[in-house]
């Protein structure tokens, strides 16, 4: 996306132009001096710098991946601060040096011609290497802030390509750019972007427990700002301004911006004139060289030097990455069986580990890496068949670990515990049992029972309206009754066969809306909003009332698995996005948003009974979800005027996109709930 690409595009353009100008001057000066044979030395230094920069990026990426979640936050925050320092120094240095860059370099290169091959290699290496390292660091921080790498990498690539074209044009004297003005404008923009990177880095350090104040917010606009809107995406992607920021973030952002921008603007005013820095052009045919040609280095050196300077950074980076990704300490496969669980398991080193689990027993088994003192689960494999091997990846930090194997038809077996030194920080989920879910399930069943009693009353009222021929009243009562049913969380067959009878759609029926098996709310809806007389609707309305009464009678005896309760938190709105918000269920009433609003109410009620279990397991989850719900509720309210609702088909493109985006964000934030509250056999 453009918002993720722009900061990287700007840094790629600036850094690429800085390095490219240096290389252009080096090449032009050598050509003018008649020393074309020395050009391979320049390109050797350039290649070495590129190899170093790419290796540095790889080290950052893979080193961070081997850390625990908390350590990753601290590592990323620290490097964000370093990146801001580098970018700030670069902005001020280039503002001062743009006017005299070409002249200074020509003088240095002329001196270097009289010295050995290593001097030109080192000159080009240092010139490009500094910019390359800064670019790699800034790209890593921006990609981490964007939580994806495609946008930042595409932006940086475009910036570097444009910088290369500009430098080629300068070298050929096709272009003449006022470099002082260029670096002034882009420098001011980069100061603003760097302020956002600083704020993001401070937040990472707070989440990594390095800095305090992680829960002390200066403002929280998540309930009133649409996170999926273009302006919100733009501000977050380019400036790293988020709807929720802590006081430390705000102070760092505002303080950096005020101080650095003031110094930058004052420095610009102090620079007299606006010079141009254009690379020297190659000599015209027939022009006498300014210096005697310098012979090429020996053939052996010409081959060995480029290979060495390019290969060494890559080899060093590979070594660092290998050391940052330790194998399991024992280097052995861990055995799984109903009698001997965890054979071959020894204390691993802290960090990201890849355990090879091999089932040596004769039964399919569940496998868990646990903290034996609390049963907290660090990693799991479901359904490991006899004789098979699968990898289990988990992050290990300071603490106690053991394996628990649970055969399909047998008792759980726990291995001996091992102790890992170092600070705690590995993420684990404390499992729940059916007993833990008993109270939430009881509360939710009571809520549904009460709702079904209301449903019976309202469907009878609807049937009476139609029998009496009061179709206008029936339309209003239909919506009230249907919203009552929608708020009860009838997702994926919660009410068994009654759900199809009461709220089934005509999809797949041979006769469609005229099929004899098309019953329930949507059958009545179709008749009410398509001019069907009361006499033709009496039977369908009475059947709906009878089915509602039958559901109320049957529900206390229906099987409601406790493990299904956490699934409903996600599935209700998943159905909403799939059916109500696409208009698929609408049979003429235009009430899709009204039904979606009732589904949201049902989700809110379900989360209320699960809150005591979710809060200790994921303290940050529910505040985020609550903000998502408030944002979506506000969007639904805006489509509700009095007793009327805007039909989904009549929503503007922007309004529809906001509702879909807010629903999708809520679904994404709700997605961990089933895993957090899964009933595991290790509990």
């Amino acid at each position: 996306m453009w918002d993720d690409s722009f900061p990287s595009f700007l840094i790629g353009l600036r850094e690429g132009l800085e390095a490219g100008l240096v290389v252009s001057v080096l090449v032009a000066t050598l050509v003018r001096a008649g020393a074309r044979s020395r050009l391979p030395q320049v390109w050797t230094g350039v290649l070495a710098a590129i190899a170093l920069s790419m290796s540095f990026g790889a080290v950052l990426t893979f080193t961070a991946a081997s850390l625990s979640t908390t350590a990753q936050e601290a590592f990323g925050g620290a490097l964000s601060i370093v990146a801001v320092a580098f970018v700030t120094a670069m902005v001020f240095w280039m503002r001062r040096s743009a006017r005299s860059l070409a002249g200074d370099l020509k003088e240095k290169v002329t001196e270097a011609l009289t010295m050995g091959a290593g001097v030109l290699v080192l000159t080009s290496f240092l010139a490009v290497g500094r910019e390359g390292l800064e670019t790699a660091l800034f790209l890593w921080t921006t990609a981490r802030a964007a939580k994806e790498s495609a946008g930042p990498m595409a932006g940086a690539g475009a910036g570097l390509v444009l910088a290369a074209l500009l430098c080629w044009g300068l070298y050929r004297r096709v272009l003449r750019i006022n470099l002082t003005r260029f670096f002034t404008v882009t420098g001011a923009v980069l100061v603003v972007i760097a302020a956002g990177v600083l704020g993001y880095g401070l937040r990472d350090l707070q989440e990594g427990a390095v800095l305090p104040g992680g829960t002390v917010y200066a403002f929280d606009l998540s309930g009133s700002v649409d996170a999926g809107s273009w302006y919100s995406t733009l501000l977050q992607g380019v400036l790293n301004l988020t709807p929720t920021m802590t006081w430390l973030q705000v102070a760092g952002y505002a303080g950096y911006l005020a101080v650095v921008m003031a110094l930058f603007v004052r420095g610009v005013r102090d620079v007299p004139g606006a010079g141009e820095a254009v690379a020297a052009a190659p000599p015209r045919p027939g022009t006498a060289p300014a210096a005697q040609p310098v012979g090429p280095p020996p053939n052996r050196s010409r081959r060995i030097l480029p290979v060495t300077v390019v290969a060494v950074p890559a080899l060093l980076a590979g070594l660092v990455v290998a050391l940052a990704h330790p194998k399991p300490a024992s280097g052995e496969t861990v055995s799984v069986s109903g009698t001997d669980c965890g054979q071959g398991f020894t204390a691993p080193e802290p960090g990201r580990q890849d355990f090879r689990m091999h089932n040596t027993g004769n039964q399919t088994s569940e496998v868990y890496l646990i903290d034996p003192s609390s049963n907290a689960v660090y990693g799991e494999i479901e359904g490991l068949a006899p004789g098979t091997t699968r990898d289990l990846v988990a992050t290990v930090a300071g603490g106690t670990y053991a394996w628990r194997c649970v055969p399909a038809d047998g008792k759980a077996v726990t291995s001996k515990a091992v102790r890992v030194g170092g600070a705690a920080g590995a993420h684990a989920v404390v499992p729940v049992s059916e007993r833990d879910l008993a109270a939430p399930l009881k509360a939710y069943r009571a809520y549904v029972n009460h709702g079904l009693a209301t449903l019976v009353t309202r469907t009878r009222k609807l049937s009476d309206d139609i029998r009496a021929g009061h179709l206008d009243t029936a339309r209003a009562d239909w919506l009230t009754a249907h919203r009552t049913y929608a708020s009860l969380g009838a997702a994926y067959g919660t009410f068994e066969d009654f759900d199809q009878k009461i709220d089934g759609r005509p999809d797949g029926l041979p006769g469609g809306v005229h099929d004899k098996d098309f019953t329930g709310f949507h059958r009545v809806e179709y008749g009410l909003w398509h001019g069907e007389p009361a006499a033709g609707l009496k039977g369908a309305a009475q059947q709906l009332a009878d089915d509602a009464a039958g559901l109320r009678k049957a529900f206390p005896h229906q099987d409601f698995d406790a493990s299904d309760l956490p699934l409903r938190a996600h599935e209700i709105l998943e159905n909403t996005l799939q059916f109500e918000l696409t208009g698929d269920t609408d049979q003429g009433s235009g009430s899709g948003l009204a039904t979606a609003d009732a589904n949201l109410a049902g989700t809110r009620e379900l989360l209320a009974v699960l809150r005591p279990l979710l809060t200790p397991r994921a303290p940050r989850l529910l505040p985020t979800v609550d903000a998502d719900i408030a944002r979506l509720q506000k969007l639904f309210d805006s489509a509700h005027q009095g007793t009327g609702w805007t039909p989904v088909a009549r929503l503007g493109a922007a309004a529809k996109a906001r509702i879909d985006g807010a629903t999708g964000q809520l679904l994404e934030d709700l997605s961990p709930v089933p895993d957090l509250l899964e009933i595991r056999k290790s509990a």
Side-chain angles (χ1 to χ4, degrees):
M1 294 180 64
W2 183 86
D3 50 280
D4 291 333
S5 303
F6 177 71
S8 299
F9 168 79
L10 191 61
I11 200 71
L13 176 60
R14 275 187 59 102
E15 299 282 5
L17 190 55
E18 287 183 39
L21 284 172
V22 173
V23 174
S24 297
V25 171
L26 288 172
V27 172
T29 305
L30 287 173
V31 171
R32 183 174 292 277
R36 289 179 178 270
S37 60
R38 304 288 292 272
L39 289 178
Q41 298 166 17
V42 175
W43 300 124
T44 297
V46 170
L47 289 175
I50 293 173
L52 177 65
S53 303
M54 295 179 67
S55 300
F56 180 55
V59 168
L60 289 178
T61 301
F62 290 107
T63 300
S66 68
L67 302 174
S68 66
T69 302
T70 302
Q72 285 185 36
E73 299 290 352
F75 182 70
L79 287 183
S80 295
I81 305 301
V82 174
V84 170
F86 274 129
V87 170
T88 305
M90 174 265 292
V91 165
F92 281 92
W93 178 83
M94 203 60 199
R95 188 202 64 198
R96 292 192 307 267
S97 305
R99 297 177 69 247
S100 59
L101 178 64
D104 292 345
L105 276 172
K106 290 176 187 176
E107 182 180 349
K108 292 180 180 178
V109 173
T110 302
E111 295 176 359
L113 287 173
T114 62
M115 304 177 69
V119 175
L120 280 177
V121 173
L122 183 62
T123 302
S124 59
F125 173 79
L126 292 178
V128 178
R130 192 193 73 166
E131 319 304 338
L133 292 175
E134 290 177 357
T135 302
L137 179 58
F138 194 86
L139 276 180
W140 187 86
T141 56
T142 52
R144 192 170 185 276
K147 296 181 173 60
E148 58 100 10
S149 58
M153 292 300 292
L160 289 170
V161 169
L162 180 57
L165 292 175
L166 289 174
C167 289
W168 180 85
L170 290 170
Y171 173 76
R172 304 298 303 178
R173 285 200 173 177
V174 175
L175 303 174
R176 295 185 66 85
I177 296 178
N178 188 318
L179 294 178
T180 302
R181 184 175 301 167
F182 172 83
F183 284 117
T184 297
V185 173
T186 57
V189 177
L190 276 178
V191 168
V192 177
I193 292 175
V197 175
L198 176 63
Y200 180 84
L202 292 174
R203 180 60 178 161
D204 272 355
L205 290 175
Q206 288 178 316
E207 293 181 349
V210 176
L211 294 176
T215 58
V216 183
Y217 297 107
F219 56 82
D220 185 355
L221 305 178
S222 56
S224 56
V225 174
D226 180 10
S229 64
W230 67 268
Y231 57 85
S232 178
T233 304
L234 180 66
L235 290 175
Q236 293 184 58
V238 177
L239 304 180
N240 272 304
L241 289 174
T242 58
T244 304
M245 296 182 72
T246 65
W247 278 109
L248 181 61
Q249 282 182 280
V250 172
Y253 187 99
Y256 173 89
L257 193 59
V259 173
V260 176
M261 187 63 79
L263 293 173
F264 183 80
V265 171
R266 187 177 68 178
V268 169
R269 291 173 179 171
D270 292 341
V271 176
E276 291 183 346
V278 181
R284 297 176 182 174
T287 302
Q292 293 299 317
V294 180
N299 289 337
R300 185 177 180 183
S301 299
R302 185 185 299 176
R303 291 193 303 268
I304 294 176
L305 184 60
V307 173
T308 302
V309 297
V310 173
V312 167
L315 291 174
L316 290 176
L319 181 61
V320 172
V321 170
L323 293 176
H325 281 74
K327 304 294 182 184
S330 64
E332 299 176 2
T333 298
V334 180
S335 298
V336 175
S337 74
T339 56
D340 190 7
C341 179
Q343 183 179 0
F345 179 52
T346 58
E349 295 294 327
R352 186 173 180 272
Q353 299 291 336
D354 188 354
F355 301 98
R356 290 178 55 81
M357 312 304 300
H358 179 65
N359 190 342
T360 59
N362 57 8
Q363 294 188 56
T364 298
S365 183
E366 311 290 313
V367 186
Y368 304 96
L369 179 63
I370 65 168
D371 178 350
S373 63
S374 64
N375 285 328
V377 177
Y378 294 96
E380 63 185 297
I381 294 178
E382 296 182 355
L384 183 63
T388 60
T389 301
R390 285 162 61 186
D391 288 349
L392 187 152
V393 179
T395 299
V396 175
T400 305
Y401 297 84
W403 291 103
R404 181 162 294 168
C405 307
V406 187
D409 297 317
K411 296 180 62 177
V413 179
T414 304
S415 73
K416 66 176 182 179
V418 299
R419 178 73 185 173
V420 176
H427 177 68
V429 175
V430 178
V432 298
S433 63
E434 289 193 28
R435 183 175 181 180
D436 295 325
L437 283 169
L441 181 59
K442 181 179 179 181
Y444 188 67
R445 290 183 71 99
Y447 162 75
V448 174
N449 269 319
H450 182 269
L452 289 175
T454 304
L455 178 68
V456 169
T457 301
R458 290 177 174 171
T459 52
R460 285 176 179 168
K461 176 70 165 56
L462 171 62
S463 179
D464 292 343
D465 291 338
I466 292 176
R467 185 180 298 108
H470 301 152
L471 297 187
D472 287 339
T473 305
R475 291 185 185 94
D477 288 342
W478 178 91
L479 181 58
T480 302
H482 189 242
R483 279 171 51 81
T484 300
Y485 183 78
S487 68
L488 302 181
Y492 292 110
T494 300
F495 298 136
E496 298 179 354
D497 294 339
F498 281 99
D499 185 46
Q500 180 61 31
K501 296 177 182 178
I502 293 173
D503 206 37
R505 299 182 301 280
D507 305 351
L509 296 177
V513 295
H514 303 294
D515 196 278
K516 63 181 179 62
D517 292 328
F518 181 34
T519 62
F521 275 111
H522 293 301
R523 168 65 184 91
V524 176
E525 176 191 9
Y526 181 83
L528 285 173
W529 273 272
H530 284 83
E532 188 172 347
L537 280 173
K538 284 192 299 184
Q542 184 59 52
Q543 183 179 349
L544 172 61
D546 291 344
D547 287 336
L551 174 58
R552 182 191 178 191
K553 182 178 180 180
F555 180 71
H557 309 289
Q558 287 181 338
D559 183 23
F560 199 132
D561 194 335
S563 62
D564 287 344
L565 196 60
L567 294 174
R568 297 292 178 264
H570 186 270
E571 290 172 350
I572 294 173
L573 286 176
E574 193 174 67
N575 274 5
T576 303
L577 189 63
Q578 182 179 1
F579 300 116
E580 274 71 36
L581 294 183
T582 58
D584 284 354
T585 56
D586 187 8
Q587 299 301 320
S589 66
S591 60
L593 292 181
T595 305
D597 178 74
N599 287 335
L600 183 63
T603 300
R604 188 185 292 111
E605 183 66 30
L606 183 55
L607 289 172
V609 302
L610 294 175
R611 189 172 293 267
L613 294 177
L614 287 171
T615 299
R617 288 170 172 80
R620 299 178 184 174
L621 176 64
L622 286 177
T624 301
V625 167
D626 290 342
D628 291 343
I629 290 175
R631 180 164 52 250
L632 184 56
Q633 185 66 65
K634 185 177 180 180
L635 293 173
F636 285 155
D637 291 344
S638 67
H640 182 205
Q641 299 83 30
T643 58
W645 290 79
T646 303
V648 171
R650 295 183 188 172
L651 285 173
K656 179 66 163 59
R658 283 194 293 269
I659 290 175
D660 288 346
T663 307
Q665 183 63 55
L666 177 54
L667 276 170
E668 182 178 339
D669 290 334
L670 283 172
S671 60
V673 172
D675 286 336
L676 288 170
L677 301 184
E678 180 184 354
I679 297 177
R680 293 175 169 87
K681 295 180 181 180
S682 62

